[in-house]
Amino acid sequence: MVPGIAANRPDVDVIVIGGGVNGTGVARDCALRGMSVALFERNDIAFGASGNSSGMIHGGPRYLTYDPDVTHTSCLDSGHIQRIAPHLLFRIPFLMPIQRSRIGSRVALTLFDAFFDLYDKYQPLKHGKPHVRLDADDMRKLEPGLMGDLVGGVSFDEWGIDGARLCIGSAVDAIERGAEVRVHTTVTELLRREDGSVYGVRYRDRTTGETGARTARVVINATGAWAPITATLGGLEAKAARVRPGKGVHVFMDRRLTNYAVVARAIDGRQVFLQPWQNMSVIGTTDDDYYGDLDEVVATGDEVRYLVQAVERVFPSVRQARIIGTWGGVRPTLYAWGPNEDQLSREHEIIDHEKHGADGLYSMVGGKLASYRIFAEQMTDVVAKRLGNRTECRTHLLPLPGGDEQLDPMQLVERAHLGPVTAQRLEYRHGSRSLRVLDRMFKEPREAAVVCECEPITEAEVRYVVENELAQDVDDVSRRTRLGLGTCGGMRCAARCGQIVAQMTGRSPGDGHRMALSFLTGAARRRVCGIGPQQAQQEALSMAVLRAELGSGRHDDEAGS
Ligand SMILES: Cc1cc2nc3c(=O)[nH]c(=O)nc-3n(C[C@H](O)[C@H](O)[C@H](O)COP(=O)(O)OP(=O)(O)OC[C@H]3O[C@@H](n4cnc5c(N)ncnc54)[C@H](O)[C@@H]3O)c2cc1C
């Protein structure tokens, strides 16, 4: 036992390890039920799968064939998530084209039609519209860029969400209800008593190097694909929290190419999609067993070519767009030996490590973004029962921050003379709390200045997320606002953002410049697999100039002046 720690009088009721959608979800639920909570996140909130998913709050029609319970749970929870975070949701109407083939294309169309009749039964749970069977002319009218010898297709209705903002919403709500949330702070050890039971964690702040220990009545391992590693921090075997990690990447392009999301088939028969999203298009996603570094998930050229090739067959003009980036994450899929990655169950599971001699420790493995709230509720029910807490779950009833009232973005245009796109994006990310960002501009009109023109993001929003949403560097600001993810790749805004963050967190302009450089280096690494040689040369040149400026110490000198 750690000297000086009174394990029988713990610091908090619950320690949550991991700030993804499941960790922040369970922290919020515990806090709402009156438990004291401390959450530790090794990187940033939503750094892992949750901030790098496709963001579909759907039932996933393909799961219906082998995992109907997952479809049901996800559709049910999608309805709840729509209620608590209406500002973050957006509709994704899909088109599934069916190509004429020598054998049975009409039969295929009829089968898809019948299959989607079944999926329609779940649509009311998530406020979705029923599918429509379409002939080839309908398909081309809706999506003129569709190519190939189409026999027709079907439409179906889904919802999307910004996964990172969903996690931030849960984390902020948990904090406002008393939880302590520490980002960039990794758990380095699970503390165990002589009888093996778990009573806390040791942690290290990765920015300051500060170390410490916290004790709790229950410790929850919500570290997604890291779950097996986390189990070993307490001396358990990795297989005590086994997952089958599945890497998925997305490619995004500099413009909207389609009116609808379009389903395509990749060379191995798997489904991928091309989706218009805000001012860009996204292709996703791959699903491959992954054995690499979970803190450094980067798309490869092969993955990019696989995705673009799949879409090109039905939508050839995808080649005209410029790839401006990729994102990737690792699914913490439930372990199974044998099935192909895309056939693995998306069910979730709570592991009680009492059976491994570590009473007091639970792991949350598997699951989906779309069913995170139910998973968190089930986990919190277990904890509440253990701690004798009889309070009922309310996470499906109480809005997340900003979700209480939907504003008309035009109000923001009129009140603060914002451009319509700026206002609409601000309202999308913050809901009713965009008024708090506006308040900053009223108090300090200079903060209305646009920092990132591609997206566009104001200085007030950058300052708001540093002050209220735990952002500590340029990467964190980008995760919360999409700063630097547009066509300029951050070249025009990262430095200014770094300056603001440095100034607000009491660091030097040199630190701000280093944060910007670190963001740009990471973005370039994620982009290089998708860009041509000319663009790569230009980018290398710009980075060299930035590095030389940092090396000259010009920015540190400014700190002293
Ligand atoms: C490419 C892709 C596409 C997907 N698309 C969808 C979709 O469209 N719809 C859907 O419903 N689901 C989707 N998913 C699945 C969904 O994203 C995941 O199931 C879900 O996000 C898992 O959340 P989590 O909180 O368990 O894990 P994560 O989000 O990975 O969070 C785990 C966190 O733990 C932290 N951590 C690790 N070790 C430590 C430590 N020692 N101390 C402190 N913190 C630690 C990590 O930094 C990380 O932030 C997708 C996933 C991927 C990868």
Side-chain angles (χ1 to χ4, degrees):
M1 197 150 344
V2 173
I5 292 183
N8 49 355
R9 290 231 325 269
D11 300 325
V12 287
D13 293 325
V14 187
I15 285 177
V16 180
I17 316 171
V21 76
N22 291 322
T24 54
V26 85
R28 174 180 189 238
D29 200 340
C30 288
L32 268 167
R33 297 199 214 184
M35 296 177 228
S36 53
V37 184
L39 181 148
F40 296 89
E41 164 51 53
R42 170 181 171 76
N43 295 291
D44 182 25
I45 299 294
F47 172 90
S50 308
N52 292 288
S53 81
S54 311
M56 309 261 178
I57 296 294
H58 63 164
R62 74 190 169 87
Y63 305 130
L64 200 49
T65 53
Y66 60 92
D67 234 351
D69 284 352
V70 167
T71 305
H72 178 259
T73 313
S74 305
C75 288
L76 188 65
D77 226 17
S78 170
H80 293 317
I81 298 166
Q82 288 174 38
R83 181 181 318 126
I84 63 174
H87 56 299
L88 286 182
L89 268 291
F90 52 90
R91 196 155 225 141
I92 315 177
F94 267 90
L95 291 180
M96 179 179 282
I98 296 170
Q99 303 282 350
R100 198 178 296 280
S101 66
R102 264 176 301 158
I103 27 168
S105 31
R106 290 238 151 249
V107 178
L109 183 54
T110 304
L111 285 175
F112 272 107
D113 192 18
F115 173 80
F116 278 97
D117 272 341
L118 186 61
Y119 191 54
D120 286 348
K121 299 206 184 335
Y122 296 88
Q123 289 287 18
L125 292 172
K126 63 181 178 74
H127 315 294
K129 295 183 178 162
H131 85 284
V132 178
R133 178 177 170 150
L134 300 160
D135 64 26
D137 283 348
D138 295 332
M139 292 288 283
R140 290 219 176 80
K141 262 184 226 146
L142 292 169
E143 207 51 83
L146 275 177
M147 289 294 154
D149 190 9
L150 294 183
V151 67
V154 289
S155 70
F156 60 99
D157 194 21
E158 297 294 13
W159 292 92
I161 199 163
D162 181 327
R165 292 239 36 107
L166 178 64
C167 299
I168 302 292
S170 289
V172 169
D173 200 46
I175 293 168
E176 290 177 359
R177 294 171 194 280
E180 172 193 353
V181 176
R182 298 181 72 133
V183 289
H184 299 287
T185 303
T186 190
V187 165
T188 52
E189 186 186 341
L190 300 174
L191 301 174
R192 297 180 74 179
R193 298 185 185 88
E194 275 166 17
D195 65 2
S197 59
V198 172
Y199 69 95
V201 302
R202 235 188 258 281
Y203 62 83
R204 178 169 48 82
D205 185 318
R206 298 175 81 199
T207 314
T208 63
E210 177 212 336
T211 56
R214 300 283 270 149
T215 57
R217 298 163 79 187
V218 175
V219 176
I220 299 171
N221 169 14
T223 53
W226 288 259
I229 303 173
T230 307
T232 64
L233 300 177
L236 299 184
E237 285 191 56
K239 68 177 182 208
R242 198 175 231 181
V243 295
R244 183 151 157 207
K247 181 185 179 192
V249 308
H250 299 80
V251 177
F252 56 100
M253 279 156 300
D254 63 344
R255 65 195 84 159
R256 286 175 76 100
L257 288 163
T258 53
N259 303 314
Y260 297 86
V262 174
V263 181
R265 277 201 182 278
I267 190 162
D268 54 3
R270 296 185 189 193
Q271 277 180 8
V272 303
F273 62 83
L274 168 68
Q275 180 198 333
W277 197 64
Q278 297 199 352
N279 48 354
M280 60 190 201
S281 296
V282 180
I283 307 181
T285 171
T286 57
D287 192 350
D288 296 303
D289 286 316
Y290 183 68
Y291 303 94
D293 183 350
L294 294 167
D295 286 328
E296 280 285 339
V297 182
V298 181
T300 64
D302 281 357
E303 288 163 332
V304 171
R305 280 190 287 275
Y306 167 89
L307 289 172
V308 176
Q309 176 198 51
V311 168
E312 192 181 18
R313 290 191 79 219
V314 285
F315 206 87
S317 54
V318 69
R319 285 279 176 205
Q320 286 160 20
R322 181 163 70 92
I323 292 176
I324 54 172
T326 63
W327 77 77
V330 180
R331 300 172 181 85
T333 327
L334 290 186
Y335 181 81
W337 181 276
N340 278 345
E341 298 90 330
D342 64 335
Q343 295 297 312
L344 289 166
S345 169
R346 262 47 175 179
E347 270 290 2
H348 56 245
E349 191 183 321
I350 295 169
I351 303 171
D352 181 347
H353 291 291
E354 187 187 6
K355 65 180 171 207
H356 303 116
D359 187 32
L361 175 69
Y362 296 89
S363 290
M364 299 173 78
V365 290
K368 293 175 87 237
L369 200 73
S371 53
Y372 88 93
R373 200 212 53 81
I374 284 181
F375 193 10
E377 177 178 346
Q378 291 167 351
M379 183 70 253
T380 312
D381 283 347
V382 170
V383 174
K385 191 167 171 207
R386 185 182 173 113
L387 303 187
N389 178 313
R390 288 165 184 265
T391 320
E392 298 223 322
C393 175
R394 289 181 298 154
T395 53
H396 55 308
L397 302 173
L398 300 179
L400 285 171
D404 51 342
E405 184 196 346
Q406 268 206 291
L407 298 180
D408 176 358
M410 290 315 285
Q411 276 181 30
L412 306 182
V413 172
E414 283 155 21
R415 287 171 71 161
H417 307 293
L418 292 180
V421 180
T422 314
Q424 195 264 331
R425 295 284 162 76
L426 185 66
E427 197 280 330
Y428 170 73
R429 288 191 280 269
H430 299 275
S432 63
R433 292 206 174 180
S434 22
L435 295 178
R436 299 188 184 186
V437 180
L438 246 53
D439 276 349
R440 295 194 67 105
M441 296 179 199
F442 293 138
K443 285 190 194 122
E444 186 48 83
R446 274 184 315 181
E447 289 192 16
V450 170
V451 178
C452 173
E453 285 176 25
C454 303
E455 278 308 314
I457 292 133
T458 59
E459 180 172 333
E461 189 179 358
V462 173
R463 290 184 181 275
Y464 180 83
V465 300
V466 173
E467 211 162 81
N468 302 286
E469 296 185 349
L470 304 164
Q472 292 187 2
D473 57 31
V474 178
D475 273 287
D476 296 357
V477 171
S478 171
R479 204 167 280 114
R480 286 153 183 74
T481 61
R482 299 189 30 74
L483 175 135
L485 297 184
T487 46
C488 89
M491 291 293 177
R492 288 191 289 191
C493 58
R496 175 70 188 127
C497 177
Q499 268 179 12
I500 297 170
V501 178
Q503 186 253 324
M504 289 191 76
T505 53
R507 285 176 276 179
S508 72
D511 287 333
H513 200 73
R514 266 183 285 278
M515 280 184 239
L517 196 55
S518 158
F519 170 78
L520 290 171
T521 311
R525 209 177 312 129
R526 290 188 294 273
R527 201 164 38 237
V528 76
C529 52
I531 60 177
Q534 267 184 337
Q535 193 182 333
Q537 276 169 13
Q538 285 295 327
E539 292 201 359
L541 200 61
S542 312
M543 298 293 277
V545 171
L546 283 164
R547 273 182 201 286
E549 274 189 23
L550 186 62
S552 73
R554 193 162 66 85
H555 296 271
D556 279 325
D557 291 349
E558 283 166 11
S561 63

